[in-house]
Amino acid sequence: MNRYLEEWTGKELMQELEQGVINAPQDLLGCHIYKEADVQIFTAYRPCAEQVWLVDGEGETVAEMEEMPLEGLYGYVIEEKKERLKKYKFRVKYSDDDVVDIEDPYAYGGTISDFDSYIFGEGKHYKIYEKLGAHLETIDGVEGTRFAVWAPNARSVSVVGEFNMWDGRLHKMILHGVTGIYELFIPGAWERAAYKYEITARDGERHYKTDPYGNYAELRPGNASRIISLDGYDWQDTQYMKTRRETKKEKRDRKPMSIYEVHLASWKKRVEDDDNGNYSYRELAGMLGDYVEEMGYTHIELMGIAEYPFDGSWGYQVGCYYAPTSRYGEPKDFMYFVDEMHRRGIQVILDWVPAHFPRDAHCLGNFDGQAEYEHPDRRRGEHPDWGTYIFDYGRGEVMSFLISNALYWMEKYHIDGLRVDAVASMLYLDYGKQNGQWLPNKDGGNEHYEAVEFLKRLNTVVEEEYPGAYIIAEESTAWPKVTGTVKDGGLGFSYKWNMGWMNDFLEYMKLDPYFKQFHHGQLCFSIDYYLSEKYILVLSHDEVVHGKCSLLNKMPGLEGDKYAALRAAYGFMYGHPGKKLLFMGQEFAQKREWAEFRSLDWFLLDDERHKKMQDYIKELNRIYAKYDALYYNDFDVMGFEWMDCSRPQTSTIAFVRRGSKSKDQLMFILNFTPVAHKKYTVKAPCKGKFTEILNSDDEKFGGQGHLNEKPITAKKTKVKDKSGKLTDSYEIELYLPPLSAVVLKYDYVG
């Protein structure tokens, strides 16, 4: 062996290379100036090669390289200064029919700066996805991909993929200082090529991991990442995004929000079970866009878009947080989907899951052989009931990963809002755990201080970076100020799902009509606290699975009563203060429970009862959008007033909703028993005429047709005030059909 090669190459590095645990391969491989001898040294590691040549920048052979004592390691020394190379390649012969020219990956410097590493560790690198992951680049005319991954406990990391025969010996990554970040530019790694990280742990075990920052992944059951460029999509929503950015949250709160919750795979399936039976993002953009537009929804909320391994998790056990699932196409196809929704004026909300992640071997769990993304203490780092890991919210790098991910969907995909799943499980250290399964906070309590800080920072950063976008909490407890500002001690969410209303109301609606009178409080209680948070009323997917049956079949009574009761329920939901969310299929009274593996039962629309229910929801959405009384003062005491909530024996209620002006205010009268009231008298908010604009008993909605076709004039009457003094009041009399919702329009006359 050339004496300079022998002097220069260290035994320790060669041993690490041979054992596959080298984390500074650039110190051994590539091109180096051996200063002591003033020579240029080239080394290449190509196991299984028969011969290796050094080639200059013009493709001319310089010399055959010498095989060194370590099998697969080749070296060559240029002793003359005038012959030194600025550009070079390696020509590798594996067989007579397999000779390839290879650019040296160790000829390229890194891009991770010390500042990147510092703010990443501080939990404040909110665009770390631009540094970590796989990014197509062209350097000095050489096309390839730059890979970077955080693996602080690893002994070494390799990139393996279709471009290197999945051989972990070929592309050992370079450790950046003491940060735990590994980086390498691999010439020739092409777009859409599959890859993983081969991580050698401290105990010597090797783990093959999907890229945590990968933008695209194989279609399950495959689980490798794929190289993809997110650049070059021609967005058409520039004006839409400008308007969104300039919309202050106070103005947004006064706009309608009627959300259609959708699971893309089961909204509609192909007739033929082709391509897993799923339509593509581009196909769904037109089909779903047409439907949502026709139905009058203002928003869609998508379940399970970030890549996930198991269909049955519905996307709530995420494997790749930065990759839209390949079940429906590529990332730019999803961009097209969002762009098309924005063209139609429909906002897009994604379900987002920072509460936990699955234990699947290729995912984030024990990423580098030890707890990295999850808390190392099982009492903090695992959900025993769910079989999942919990993020370590107190670790800066994890904070950067999650907050960057939220911003990534808004930046790269123009997402309008995120609905954060399972917030309660984040806030409480003992959520779903028995004694001995959880670790108290430093003060001995069950509040998860680090998670609280994470949520506050998340909401603060989103508000600063993407004004007009919003974050919604699925939070099922009475944690205070979920939608309060961070400045005032709140968590800073834009909205909160009203789980209390959902549970109380559905339990009430399931009761036999006779027993409803004893549970009147369940119907009315939500008004006592409706101003405590900025609520979204939800009838979500969680209420129509796992034996809970469909909304239609929750309703008691005979078949006709079920439809009537469901129409009354929807009427109450649209009249109640708060934004609205309805899960797909419930708009046409889906009979079966929802299942992720099959399409909704669209054939039910051949039955006029289901078609008329669909027409009813369409009309509710139309009225909701037309009359700002239904949304303008959702979070203001002026927006709601009871007219009657004290007749439990009849299970009837009445209330008014007020908007931005005295005209076009609305009064709701609801009957939750199958008993008609031919002359129902109820308090009116003022004098004047009250005109029926919606009656759920209308024949066109599947009812019996008992309407109040003529305007109703309020009559003056006397009532006692709190002091016992008689004062002037007004009341109206109308026909109140059984199991019905009646909506009257009036102009306030003082």
Side-chain angles (χ1 to χ4, degrees):
M1 184 170 70
N2 183 288
R3 63 190 180 91
Y4 295 127
L5 281 175
E6 189 173 9
E7 290 173 9
W8 181 79
T9 53
K11 291 183 179 179
E12 293 81 4
L13 285 175
M14 288 181 62
Q15 187 176 20
E16 288 181 356
L17 181 63
E18 182 178 23
Q19 294 174 350
V21 295
I22 192 168
N23 60 23
Q26 78 283 4
D27 290 346
L28 176 62
L29 303 177
C31 172
H32 299 271
I33 300 297
Y34 180 27
K35 293 182 180 179
E36 286 79 356
D38 198 19
V39 297
Q40 189 177 23
I41 292 179
F42 296 87
T43 54
Y45 188 48
R46 284 286 142 180
C48 303
E50 291 183 1
Q51 287 176 282
V52 179
W53 294 268
L54 179 65
V55 179
D56 66 18
E58 302 300 321
E60 297 295 325
T61 301
V62 175
E64 182 178 351
M65 299 181 73
E66 178 182 354
E67 189 166 6
M68 298 172 69
L70 174 60
E71 183 181 354
L73 184 62
Y74 295 81
Y76 184 75
V77 179
I78 295 179
E79 299 184 23
E80 296 293 331
K81 286 187 178 181
K82 63 181 180 180
E83 295 179 4
R84 289 182 180 174
L85 300 181
K86 292 183 178 179
K87 292 185 177 182
Y88 67 96
K89 297 180 183 179
F90 300 123
R91 182 164 292 152
V92 183
K93 176 184 176 182
Y94 293 103
S95 68
D96 290 340
D97 298 325
D98 188 6
V99 180
V100 293
D101 283 2
I102 296 173
E103 298 281 354
D104 182 12
Y106 302 105
Y108 303 90
T111 61
I112 306 292
S113 70
D114 290 340
F115 182 68
D116 286 324
S117 300
Y118 173 74
I119 60 173
F120 177 51
E122 288 288 297
K124 297 179 180 179
H125 201 317
Y126 303 137
K127 288 196 174 181
I128 190 62
Y129 57 81
E130 294 182 347
K131 297 293 184 177
L132 301 185
H135 301 277
L136 288 160
E137 290 185 15
T138 300
I139 303 176
D140 296 332
V142 176
E143 296 180 351
T145 302
R146 184 175 299 282
F147 298 88
V149 66
W150 176 57
N153 302 305
R155 292 188 68 184
S156 71
V157 181
S158 297
V159 184
V160 295
E162 293 177 330
F163 40 81
N164 63 12
M165 299 167 289
W166 300 92
D167 190 338
R169 298 172 295 177
L170 298 182
H171 289 116
K172 291 290 184 182
M173 301 183 77
I174 300 168
L175 177 62
H176 181 79
V178 295
T179 64
I181 295 176
Y182 289 78
E183 184 180 13
L184 188 67
F185 175 74
I186 301 181
W190 61 86
E191 188 164 22
R192 294 183 180 81
Y195 71 96
K196 283 188 176 184
Y197 295 114
E198 179 189 274
I199 298 174
T200 303
R202 292 292 172 190
D203 61 5
E205 288 290 320
R206 287 183 180 162
H207 306 267
Y208 294 87
K209 293 289 189 176
T210 304
D211 190 347
Y213 291 86
N215 297 322
Y216 184 37
E218 286 186 305
L219 179 65
R220 50 94 178 94
N223 54 43
S225 298
R226 288 192 182 277
I227 301 166
I228 199 78
S229 173
L230 300 183
D231 298 331
Y233 179 78
D234 185 17
W235 286 95
Q236 302 297 307
D237 65 350
T238 303
Q239 184 57 48
Y240 173 95
M241 295 297 287
K242 180 177 184 293
T243 301
R244 193 189 82 180
R245 231 178 359 258
E246 294 172 351
T247 301
K248 295 182 178 180
K249 61 181 180 180
E250 294 81 7
K251 186 175 181 181
R252 182 186 65 219
D253 292 345
R254 296 188 181 277
K255 289 181 174 290
M257 180 181 277
S258 179
I259 305 167
Y260 188 54
E261 187 188 24
V262 180
H263 179 260
L264 288 180
S266 58
W267 182 69
K268 279 188 180 178
K269 291 277 191 185
R270 296 181 186 276
V271 176
E272 299 294 333
D273 189 13
D274 178 39
D275 189 27
N276 297 288
N278 296 331
Y279 285 102
S280 70
Y281 288 120
R282 290 179 181 266
E283 290 171 316
L284 287 163
M287 296 161 56
L288 183 58
D290 286 345
Y291 185 73
V292 170
E293 202 170 19
E294 178 190 356
M295 290 298 297
Y297 291 101
T298 60
H299 298 61
I300 58 170
E301 181 175 318
L302 301 179
M303 298 167 57
I305 291 301
E307 191 62 80
Y308 55 101
F310 176 49
D311 286 7
S313 79
W314 313 334
Y316 295 112
Q317 293 199 19
V318 178
C320 306
Y321 277 79
Y322 285 81
T325 178
S326 56
R327 287 168 174 81
Y328 319 113
E330 297 188 355
K332 286 178 184 173
D333 298 325
F334 184 54
M335 292 178 187
Y336 176 87
F337 177 93
V338 177
D339 204 12
E340 177 63 16
M341 293 300 158
H342 287 175
R343 186 185 71 80
R344 299 168 184 265
I346 300 164
Q347 296 199 24
V348 181
I349 303 167
L350 292 190
D351 281 0
W352 189 57
V353 193
H356 62 131
F357 57 92
R359 294 183 179 181
D360 297 60
H362 67 277
C363 295
L364 298 177
N366 293 309
F367 186 77
D368 55 11
Q370 298 182 41
E372 180 180 337
Y373 287 89
E374 70 272 29
H375 197 284
D377 191 315
R378 291 172 63 94
R379 295 170 295 175
R380 286 275 179 92
E382 293 187 25
H383 276 302
D385 289 345
W386 296 351
T388 54
Y389 291 121
I390 303 171
F391 283 104
D392 185 355
Y393 304 105
R395 192 165 192 174
E397 295 89 348
V398 175
M399 180 91 79
S400 290
F401 171 82
L402 289 172
I403 295 180
S404 290
N405 185 243
L407 301 180
Y408 165 85
W409 291 106
M410 295 172 182
E411 172 68 23
K412 297 298 184 180
Y413 294 97
H414 295 196
I415 294 302
D416 298 287
L418 298 174
R419 174 268 199 180
V420 183
D421 182 64
V423 172
S425 74
M426 301 169 67
L427 295 174
Y428 298 97
L429 293 165
D430 60 347
Y431 186 92
K433 299 179 180 181
Q434 304 300 319
N435 289 337
Q437 292 182 327
W438 64 283
L439 187 67
N441 61 36
K442 62 181 181 179
D443 298 317
N446 67 344
E447 299 89 353
H448 196 327
Y449 292 156
E450 292 83 2
V452 170
E453 176 57 31
F454 159 68
L455 292 172
K456 287 181 176 181
R457 189 183 298 185
L458 165 72
N459 289 314
T460 299
V461 172
V462 168
E463 188 173 335
E464 290 172 352
E465 297 292 326
Y466 295 93
Y470 42 90
I471 308 288
I472 301 165
E474 187 222 8
E475 202 284 311
S476 55
T477 74
W479 187 281
K481 297 184 178 180
V482 172
T483 57
T485 64
V486 173
K487 182 179 178 181
D488 292 333
L491 296 182
F493 282 96
S494 309
Y495 304 105
K496 172 182 172 175
W497 273 22
N498 196 335
M499 312 288 278
W501 171 83
M502 178 184 70
N503 290 324
D504 285 347
F505 183 57
L506 289 180
E507 287 301 314
Y508 175 82
M509 290 304 301
K510 288 191 291 186
L511 291 169
D512 181 279
Y514 174 78
F515 294 104
K516 281 185 166 64
Q517 61 185 307
F518 307 115
H519 295 266
H520 201 62
Q522 284 182 281
L523 180 64
C524 303
F525 175 59
S526 56
I527 298 302
D528 289 354
Y529 63 83
Y530 83 93
L531 293 174
S532 62
E533 301 281 4
K534 293 181 178 179
Y535 283 116
I536 297 176
L537 303 181
V538 294
L539 294 175
S540 74
H541 66 275
D542 277 329
E543 305 315 305
V544 293
V545 291
H546 300 325
K548 296 179 183 178
C549 74
S550 67
L551 291 186
L552 179 67
N553 284 325
K554 290 182 194 294
M555 304 298 118
L558 301 174
E559 190 80 353
D561 288 345
K562 288 179 178 291
Y563 290 91
L566 187 57
R567 289 193 299 272
Y570 288 152
F572 181 60
M573 176 184 180
Y574 274 76
H576 192 292
K579 309 309 181 185
K580 323 297 178 190
L581 178 144
L582 191 63
F583 182 55
M584 65 180 197
Q586 306 315 317
E587 76 277 13
F588 60 80
Q590 171 93 8
K591 281 188 171 182
R592 291 192 293 178
E593 278 191 345
W594 169 64
E596 83 283 345
F597 55 82
R598 65 175 180 237
S599 173
L600 294 180
D601 294 335
W602 293 100
F603 60 83
L604 290 174
L605 291 173
D606 293 335
D607 182 328
E608 68 172 11
R609 294 172 300 179
H610 295 273
K611 181 64 176 71
K612 288 180 176 181
M613 184 68 75
Q614 185 189 51
D615 291 340
Y616 179 61
I617 294 296
K618 187 188 301 186
E619 181 64 9
L620 281 172
N621 278 330
R622 186 192 71 80
I623 289 174
Y624 177 66
K626 179 178 180 180
Y627 295 98
D628 75 0
L630 291 174
Y631 58 80
Y632 187 84
N633 286 316
D634 272 331
F635 313 124
D636 192 305
V637 69
M638 286 297 296
F640 179 93
E641 183 182 356
W642 282 118
M643 292 293 101
D644 186 8
C645 61
S646 56
R647 298 194 212 182
Q649 68 279 8
T650 58
S651 299
T652 56
I653 56 173
F655 56 85
V656 295
R657 295 296 311 278
R658 301 188 184 93
S660 61
K661 52 190 182 298
S662 59
K663 289 188 175 183
D664 292 343
Q665 297 185 9
L666 301 180
M667 182 171 178
F668 283 71
I669 305 100
L670 297 112
N671 181 8
F672 292 105
T673 64
V675 178
H677 300 273
K678 296 181 179 179
K679 293 185 177 182
Y680 189 79
T681 302
V682 64
K683 177 185 174 184
C686 62
K687 62 183 178 182
K689 293 188 179 298
F690 292 73
T691 303
E692 186 174 85
I693 61 169
L694 181 77
N695 191 321
S696 66
D697 195 50
D698 197 319
E699 289 183 2
K700 66 182 180 182
F701 303 136
Q704 299 300 310
H706 298 293
L707 309 180
N708 298 283
E709 297 177 346
K710 296 180 180 179
I712 303 165
T713 302
K715 298 177 181 178
K716 192 173 184 179
T717 185
K718 295 286 186 180
V719 297
K720 290 183 179 180
D721 60 19
K722 291 181 180 180
S723 65
K725 182 180 178 181
L726 288 174
T727 60
D728 290 341
S729 184
Y730 294 89
E731 63 184 21
I732 57 174
E733 183 181 275
L734 73 159
Y735 186 98
L736 185 59
L739 296 170
S740 67
V742 174
V743 185
L744 308 175
K745 177 174 72 74
Y746 68 97
D747 297 336
Y748 180 77
V749 181

